[in-house]
Each structure stands twice: as structure tokens, then as C-alpha cells.
Amino acid sequence: MTLSRRIVAEGLGTALLLAIVIGSGIMGERLAGGNLAIALLGNTIATGAGLVVLIHIFGPVSGAHFNPAVTLAVLLRRGIGAREAGLYVAAQCAGAVAGVWIAHAMFAEPLLQISTKLRDGPAQGFAEFVATFGLIGTIIATQRARPDFTPVAVGLYITAAYWFTASTSFANPAVTVARSLSNSFAGIAPASVPLFVAGQIAGAVTAVAVFGWLFREVRAR
């Protein structure tokens, strides 16, 4: 695939992912009658299922990163060049913002919003470290052993991580920044974004080191 097609695939796929995340959050909150557990469940199922489909659609084109942390991991493992990685990240961030606006438009919400939902504290940052560490580990492990299972594995992991992490597993810097532009159930206040992104980057780098060592093939002497 040409570089231009790969970049468009990353932007479009990330836009659709954010439309799913924000849209299902708005729908879940509207239908849950104040029950946050039900709203989160609806948000979780839609996001996990959507990821499986989106990775199947765009994986053959761009690898379906949709996530600067994933692109960073691929870069560190020398699966992509620095220039291409930079273009991927730019497309992911632009697509993520567009996806938020798409969701707002579908639900007749104001397009331009700023979230007021604070998600602060060391536990939240550590949760994002754990969430991203597990996501990158899932990708590295399944790509090595069962690459055809990767879309399902990623969808299942994110579905689980929504519930076992205190932060509800953003695990994606582009998603985090974009969600600060939605004052909805799935939003995050801009002041909370740096902590989340720092945890995500640290989790990605650590996962590359740990899982790279774990699966490294030792040559016989």
C-alpha cells in the first residue's frame, strides 16, 4: 500500500474509533437512567466490538495502529521508520478529533466542547501505565504466535481493561487528547491529559522492553 493510503487509513480508522467511543458513551449515559455501571457497560461493549471490526478493516492497509503508543512500540521494534511514524501519529490525532465531532453531530451535541471530568491522582496514571503495557504486550504476543487473532485479542483486552483499570483504560494518547474535547460520559478534563499520556508512553516503552526480552529468540552457539 502507498504511504498516502496508509496515512488515510490511520486517520479514518481512528476517527471511526472515537465516534464509537464517544457516541456509545453518550448513548449509554442517556439510556442508563443515572446508572453509571450500565452506561460504562454499553460504552465497553461497543468499543471492544468496534475495535475488532476496525482492525480487520484497516489492518491490511496500515496495520491499524489507531494509537500513537502502538506506533511508538512498532517504531522501537524497527517495524516502521521515524518519518512514517510521525505521519501516522499526526493522522491519528487529527482523526481522533474528527471522530469526536462526528459523535457530537450524530447526537445533536455542540461540536466544540471541553471536558470538565477530572481524572487525577497517581492511581489513575498507574492504571494507564498498566492498561497500555497490557495492550502492547497483547499485540506483540499475538502478532508473534497468532497474528490472525490479533484483532479479537485487542478487542477482548480493551473490553476487560475498561473494568479492571481505575482509569477505564484509555491506553491511547490520541484518544486521550480527543476525549478532552467532549464534555460527555467518556470525557477527560484537559488538566488530566498529561498524566494519562505520560502513563501510556511509559507503559508502551516498558512493554516493548519486557515482551521483546520475553520472546527474543536465543541463537544456539
Side-chain angles (χ1 to χ4, degrees):
M1 291 293 176
T2 62
L3 179 59
S4 60
R5 289 185 182 183
R6 296 199 297 274
I7 298 307
V8 169
E10 283 297 302
L12 181 56
T14 310
L16 291 171
L17 173 60
L18 264 295
I20 292 168
V21 171
I22 299 298
S24 64
I26 295 171
M27 179 67 83
E29 188 174 36
R30 288 184 180 182
L31 298 180
N35 189 322
L36 295 181
I38 296 299
L40 180 61
L41 181 61
N43 195 201
T44 303
I45 294 171
T47 301
L51 265 173
V52 174
V53 175
L54 291 175
I55 295 172
H56 272 297
I57 292 172
F58 295 103
V61 182
S62 67
H65 296 187
F66 311 147
N67 184 339
V70 173
T71 300
L72 173 61
V74 176
L75 174 64
L76 293 175
R77 290 172 60 82
R78 300 179 181 178
I80 191 174
R83 176 176 174 272
E84 187 175 353
L87 292 172
Y88 265 46
V89 171
Q92 292 156 1
C93 292
V97 173
V100 170
W101 292 342
I102 290 169
H104 289 170
M106 288 193 295
F107 287 91
E109 294 278 341
L111 293 185
L112 302 180
Q113 303 178 22
I114 298 293
S115 177
T116 59
K117 190 170 185 178
L118 288 171
R119 300 173 185 260
D120 290 334
Q124 293 281 304
F126 180 62
E128 280 303 292
F129 172 90
V130 172
T132 311
F133 177 87
L135 173 63
I136 300 303
T138 298
I139 294 169
I140 291 174
T142 53
Q143 281 289 301
R144 181 179 184 275
R146 290 188 60 190
D148 58 322
F149 187 68
T150 301
V152 176
V154 170
L156 289 175
Y157 175 80
I158 291 298
T159 298
Y162 255 74
W163 288 87
F164 79 74
T165 63
S167 60
T168 65
S169 184
F170 286 46
N172 184 330
V175 165
T176 304
V177 171
R179 286 170 70 164
S180 72
L181 302 177
S182 180
N183 195 27
S184 63
F185 177 80
I188 177 174
S192 302
V193 168
L195 175 67
F196 271 52
V197 172
Q200 292 156 3
I201 293 173
V205 172
T206 304
V208 169
V210 171
F211 287 94
W213 170 81
L214 188 64
F215 293 115
R216 184 183 303 136
E217 295 183 2
V218 179
R219 295 181 180 178
R221 295 182 179 178

